[in-house]
Amino acid sequence: MSVSFKNQLDKLSEISEYINENTELYQFIKQVNDLRNSNGLEKISAYRYTPYAGSSELKKLPFLSIILRSQGKRSLGLKEAFLSLRAQSCQDFEVIVIAHRASVEGKQIIKSIIESQPDSFRLKIKYLELNEGTRTTPINVGCANATGRYIAIYDDDDLLFDNWVEEFYQASQKSDGKILHAYVLAQKWKCTDQGFISMGAPTSQFCHPFDFLSQLVVNKCPLMGLAFPAHLFHQMGFWFNETLNVTEDWEYFMRVVPLTGISDIETPTSIYRLWLNAESSYTLHSQNLWDNTYQEIQTFMDQRTLLVPRGYTKHLVALIQRVNADEQKILSGYPKLHGLFYYGFSDIFSDENMLAAYNQAYIPHFRMTFTVPNVGTPFSFFRFDPCEYGGFILSDTYIHLVTSTDETIDLQLKDCKHNGFFYEDKIYFLHYDPQIIFCNPSSLHITSVTIEGTINMEIPEATIQAAIKQQCFVAKVKRKMKNMLKMLFHYPH
C-alpha cells in the first residue's frame, strides 16, 4: 500500500463511526470489495500453471504480458500476430499463447508455428493448453500466469503496429496504475484462398478519447487497445466474468475503470479487423445472445454506484439540454450538431453525394470526420452544414484534409465561403441552414475531412448589431444596383 493512500484511509477511519450502511460512501466501499469477487484470488491461484514470482521480483519481470488466444484455425493470422510482435520497437514483453478447446490438429499447428519462430522470440512465449471453459476462461488463465506489470489481450485475427508495446510503456511511465487506452483503427477484410485481403482503407472508428458516459451505452474500446495493471488480477482479485461468452471485455473494463482511471494514448497502435466472411465472435453467436448479454451488462451497471470522473458535470448538463431541446422542439443550450457533408465537382451539391456525422467532442467543442468515397476523379468542391439551425458563432475552426498520399492540408474559416457573417475571426450564423463551402486545394483525391472548432450560443450584442448593419448596407447596395440596371435596360441614352 502506498503511504499517501494509507494516510487517506487513516483520515477516513477517524469518522468511520458516522459512515453507516445507509450512506453512499459505505455502499461504494462495500461495492469495491464485492466487485473483486469473493473467491477471485483463490480462482486466479487455481489457474496458475507455475508458481507466481510475486511483486518482490517485479523489476526483473517484463513490462507487458500479452495473452493470445488461439484454436489453430487461422494459421496465417497466428503467423501475422507473431510477426507483429517480433517487429515491436519495445521488446519488453512476454507472450502467453493459450490453445483453447483446440483440436489435436489445431494444437499441432500452434506448436509448429511457435517452433518456427527465431530463438530470441521463442524464449518470450509460454504455451498453455486449456480444454474447458467459455471464451472468457482463457483470459483468466492467461492473467493468472502473467508476470508483467501490465497485461494486454490480443487475438490472432488483428494487426499491431510496431509502436504498440512502446506506446503502452511510455504511457505507463506517466500514468502508472491507470488503465492505458490506445487508439485503434478499423478495417474491413476478407478471407480468400490466396490469403487475407483488405477491402478498403482503415477508418478512425475507434480513435477517440475515452468517454465514460458513451462507454456506458456501448463499448468503443477494442480489447487490444487496452493494457490493464496486473495488480487488478494478482492483488485485488478482479477476474473476467466467465458466464459471458461475448462482450466480456466491456463488462470487465467498466467494472474496474472507475477505480483505476484511464490514460488516453492518442496514437493508433493497431488495426481491428472487421471480417466480412470469416468466423468471428459475431458469427459464432446468435443475435439473441448478443442482445441478452447487452441487457445483462446494462443491469450489472445500473445496480452499481457510479464514480463519475472529474470533468463530466458540464458534459451531463449539455446532454440534458440537448434532450430538453429535442423534446420541446425548440433550441435550448447547444445545438445537437448532426453535421452534413457534401462533395462534388461543382458548387452545386446534391443529396446523392452527402454524408452525415454526429459531434465527436464535448460541447462547446465539436469535431466531425467524414470519409470521402473515391470515384476516380478527385472531387473539387465540399460543403459542410454544422446543423439545421442558426443563431450561433463558430470560432477556432479548422478543416483538416487528408489526401490519397497521406498528406495533410489544413484550412481555416478565412479560406472558405459561407452564408454567415464574418466578424473578429469568427462566423456568426444568423439564419437557418448554415453552410461552409471550400475547395480541394490539391489535384489529389481527398480521402477524409475532419472539421473541428468551438461553438458558442451566447452571441455578444456588438456582433448582432454589426451583422444587422452589414446586412442593411448590403441590402442598400443591392437595391441601388437593381435600380441602375433597370435604368440601363429601360431608358435609352
Side-chain angles (χ1 to χ4, degrees):
M1 181 189 298
S2 69
V3 175
S4 58
F5 184 51
K6 185 178 184 302
N7 290 339
Q8 295 302 320
L9 290 179
D10 289 341
K11 288 182 180 179
L12 192 61
S13 67
E14 294 172 4
I15 58 168
S16 58
E17 60 182 294
Y18 306 107
I19 306 173
N20 59 39
E21 291 86 345
N22 298 320
T23 64
E24 290 296 326
L25 181 56
Y26 173 90
Q27 291 298 328
F28 182 75
I29 293 173
K30 180 178 183 298
Q31 174 179 284
V32 171
N33 288 317
D34 290 345
L35 287 176
R36 291 173 53 201
N37 303 112
S38 57
N39 64 336
L41 292 174
E42 291 85 353
K43 191 176 187 73
I44 290 171
S45 179
Y47 278 155
R48 286 181 185 139
Y49 285 53
T50 55
Y52 181 54
S55 58
S56 61
E57 299 182 29
L58 215 55
K59 292 182 180 178
K60 303 176 185 177
L61 301 175
F63 157 67
L64 188 67
S65 293
I66 302 164
I67 300 170
L68 202 160
R69 297 172 287 185
S70 180
Q71 292 187 317
K73 294 180 179 180
R74 293 185 289 246
S75 59
L76 179 58
L78 186 57
K79 289 176 183 178
E80 287 185 344
F82 283 151
L83 185 62
S84 295
L85 292 171
R86 283 165 51 191
Q88 292 299 306
S89 57
C90 174
Q91 289 287 310
D92 190 6
F93 62 84
E94 65 176 356
V95 185
I96 303 172
V97 178
I98 302 174
H100 182 225
R101 291 184 175 274
S103 63
V104 174
E105 181 186 4
K107 292 175 183 177
Q108 189 55 47
I109 289 172
I110 297 171
K111 289 179 182 178
S112 64
I113 293 174
I114 292 174
E115 288 301 315
S116 68
Q117 302 302 309
D119 291 345
S120 59
F121 181 72
R122 193 169 67 247
L123 292 173
K124 295 178 180 289
I125 301 174
K126 296 178 184 177
Y127 172 75
L128 307 177
E129 292 183 1
L130 179 66
N131 299 317
E132 59 195 27
T134 66
R135 184 173 175 271
T136 309
T137 307
I139 298 179
N140 286 331
V141 171
C143 292
N145 290 275
T147 60
R149 289 192 293 114
Y150 270 83
I151 298 174
I153 297 105
Y154 169 45
D155 288 335
D156 62 2
D157 58 351
D158 296 314
L159 291 174
L160 305 179
F161 299 148
D162 64 352
N163 64 340
W164 187 64
V165 177
E166 179 74 30
E167 291 291 343
F168 280 146
Y169 179 80
Q170 295 297 336
S172 74
Q173 299 303 294
K174 301 176 183 176
S175 305
D176 187 42
K178 289 190 173 185
I179 294 173
L180 310 176
H181 166 233
Y183 283 5
V184 177
L185 299 175
Q187 189 176 28
K188 294 178 180 178
W189 284 73
K190 269 190 177 181
C191 185
T192 70
D193 294 336
Q194 289 75 40
F196 300 156
I197 299 177
S198 64
M199 303 304 294
T203 67
S204 58
Q205 182 176 345
F206 303 113
C207 293
H208 306 294
F210 173 75
D211 179 13
F212 183 79
L213 298 182
S214 298
Q215 189 71 15
L216 290 172
V217 180
V218 65
N219 187 19
K220 297 182 179 181
C221 300
L223 195 51
M224 73 278 200
L226 301 172
F228 298 94
H231 68 253
L232 286 172
F233 303 95
H234 298 302
Q235 278 75 38
M236 298 182 70
F238 283 99
W239 49 283
F240 281 78
N241 185 347
E242 293 182 19
T243 67
L244 302 177
N245 253 316
V246 294
T247 62
E248 70 286 347
D249 52 339
W250 181 33
E251 188 278 332
Y252 182 83
F253 183 30
M254 295 308 291
R255 187 164 17 120
V256 297
V257 74
L259 307 181
T260 63
I262 195 163
S263 178
D264 285 320
I265 302 169
E266 297 186 2
T267 301
T269 62
S270 59
I271 293 179
Y272 180 59
R273 281 170 160 169
L274 306 172
W275 293 103
L276 301 179
N277 68 339
E279 184 182 274
S280 67
S281 59
Y282 291 99
T283 61
L284 284 173
H285 306 290
S286 67
Q287 187 60 47
N288 245 8
L289 177 64
W290 283 95
D291 293 342
N292 291 339
T293 305
Y294 178 85
Q295 294 302 325
E296 188 178 349
I297 293 175
Q298 287 291 309
T299 301
F300 288 160
M301 292 192 290
D302 189 52
Q303 292 170 346
R304 300 172 193 158
T305 298
L306 290 180
L307 183 62
V308 180
R310 285 175 294 176
Y312 274 83
T313 301
K314 289 183 178 179
H315 191 20
L316 286 167
V317 170
L319 288 174
I320 293 169
Q321 288 175 331
R322 279 195 200 177
V323 172
N324 290 340
D326 288 344
E327 288 180 351
Q328 298 168 14
K329 302 300 179 186
I330 61 172
L331 186 63
S332 64
Y334 292 100
K336 195 170 184 178
L337 288 190
H338 179 194
L340 301 179
F341 182 80
Y342 297 83
Y343 51 91
F345 300 106
S346 72
D347 58 357
I348 300 175
F349 300 96
S350 165
D351 285 347
E352 293 179 359
N353 292 346
M354 184 265 286
L355 303 168
Y358 283 103
N359 184 23
Q360 300 162 343
Y362 299 153
I363 291 294
H365 304 292
F366 73 93
R367 181 176 65 250
M368 301 186 201
T369 299
F370 305 88
T371 301
V372 183
N374 189 346
V375 297
T377 305
F379 293 110
S380 308
F381 291 83
F382 305 101
R383 190 182 98 197
F384 172 59
D385 298 359
C387 64
E388 291 182 69
Y389 309 99
F392 62 90
I393 289 178
L394 287 188
S395 60
D396 302 320
T397 302
Y398 299 92
I399 301 171
H400 311 286
L401 312 178
V402 178
T403 70
S404 52
T405 60
D406 288 331
E407 176 189 1
T408 301
I409 302 173
D410 292 332
L411 303 178
Q412 299 180 31
L413 290 177
K414 60 183 179 62
D415 303 314
C416 309
K417 292 183 178 180
H418 52 83
N419 60 355
F421 165 63
F422 201 80
Y423 181 72
E424 294 183 346
D425 297 325
K426 303 173 183 177
I427 296 181
Y428 169 46
F429 287 105
L430 178 65
H431 300 295
Y432 181 84
D433 191 24
Q435 300 176 8
I436 299 174
I437 298 174
F438 53 95
C439 299
N440 179 358
S442 76
S443 59
L444 300 172
H445 168 62
I446 301 299
T447 58
S448 70
V449 177
T450 299
I451 304 168
E452 59 180 332
T454 302
I455 186 168
N456 191 347
M457 303 299 296
E458 298 177 5
I459 313 300
E461 183 64 23
T463 306
I464 297 175
Q465 293 297 331
I468 294 171
K469 287 179 182 178
Q470 187 189 63
Q471 288 191 333
C472 291
F473 175 77
V474 171
K476 286 180 181 178
V477 172
K478 285 182 177 178
R479 283 197 297 271
K480 286 185 178 180
M481 292 296 295
K482 194 173 182 179
N483 290 333
M484 288 177 63
L485 288 171
K486 282 183 180 180
M487 292 175 63
L488 288 171
F489 285 101
H490 292 90
Y491 298 98
H493 293 287

